[in-house]
Amino acid sequence: MSQIIAILNFEEGYVESPYLDTQGFPAVAGGIRIGPKGASLSNYLFLVPRLVGDTWKQCIVEGKAQEMRRNTAISRALKKCNSARSDVIYSLSCQIGVEGLAQLKTMLQLIAEENFSGAANNLLNSQWAQNASGRARRHAEVMRTGTYDIYRGLI
């Protein structure tokens, strides 16, 4: 059973009130961008309860899944993944976009070949991993093992 929402909430940190993300965009509910870069938080006077934020994230993930199915390399990789490995791909699509995910061509090819250890190593060597090292290590371990064990006690 997918744990994508719990993973996204852990990796992004869930905050009910609007805040500026690490790139300066207003965001809420653990990483959902709600406005243009540099916009004042005084424009966003609301809270997003956890149930609402989780539902919103699920809608975002479903939209990303539809977009990913239209990309041959991503779709081919997803067909070889169990739920845990799929969640890594969904998480990546939420953080770097489907276009950014599509640029991880070698990793996607290795997943399609069911070389999950190679895919994990490739992910750790990516530019993305340099900017998200903790998340990258956890995602690589899920890809390598096909389990959520690395998240035990965290989600």
Side-chain angles (χ1 to χ4, degrees):
M1 182 171 168
S2 174
Q3 296 293 313
I4 186 59
I5 302 305
I7 289 170
L8 291 173
N9 284 336
F10 171 76
E11 294 295 357
E12 296 292 337
Y14 194 91
V15 181
E16 287 186 342
S17 59
Y19 60 92
L20 294 177
D21 72 10
T22 58
Q23 296 178 13
F25 289 90
V28 72
I32 299 173
R33 288 187 178 167
I34 55 174
K37 187 172 187 171
S40 172
L41 291 180
S42 65
N43 294 323
Y44 308 99
L45 303 175
F46 59 88
L47 298 177
V48 178
R50 186 68 171 256
L51 180 60
V52 174
D54 288 357
T55 302
W56 192 354
K57 278 190 184 125
Q58 189 61 52
C59 291
I60 291 168
V61 169
E62 288 170 11
K64 299 280 186 189
Q66 288 178 356
E67 194 177 342
M68 288 188 289
R69 282 192 288 273
R70 292 190 294 267
N71 180 291
T72 304
I74 298 171
S75 180
R76 201 175 307 140
L78 279 168
K79 287 177 184 171
K80 300 296 183 166
C81 291
N82 66 7
S83 185
R85 290 179 173 125
S86 292
D87 283 351
V88 168
I89 294 174
Y90 295 139
S91 177
L92 285 166
S93 76
C94 289
Q95 188 172 28
I96 62 175
V98 174
E99 301 82 18
L101 174 61
Q103 297 303 308
L104 299 174
K105 293 175 182 161
T106 302
M107 182 197 74
L108 293 169
Q109 181 62 39
L110 289 165
I111 293 169
E113 295 169 359
E114 298 183 56
N115 181 350
F116 300 114
S117 288
N121 291 336
N122 186 266
L123 181 61
L124 287 171
N125 290 324
S126 69
Q127 179 68 38
W128 169 78
Q130 293 175 22
N131 299 321
S133 60
R135 188 177 195 164
R137 283 191 310 276
R138 288 183 292 276
H139 280 16
E141 184 63 16
V142 171
M143 186 58 66
R144 186 180 326 281
T145 65
T147 72
Y148 297 107
D149 289 350
I150 191 80
Y151 284 103
R152 189 173 292 128
L154 301 176
I155 60 172

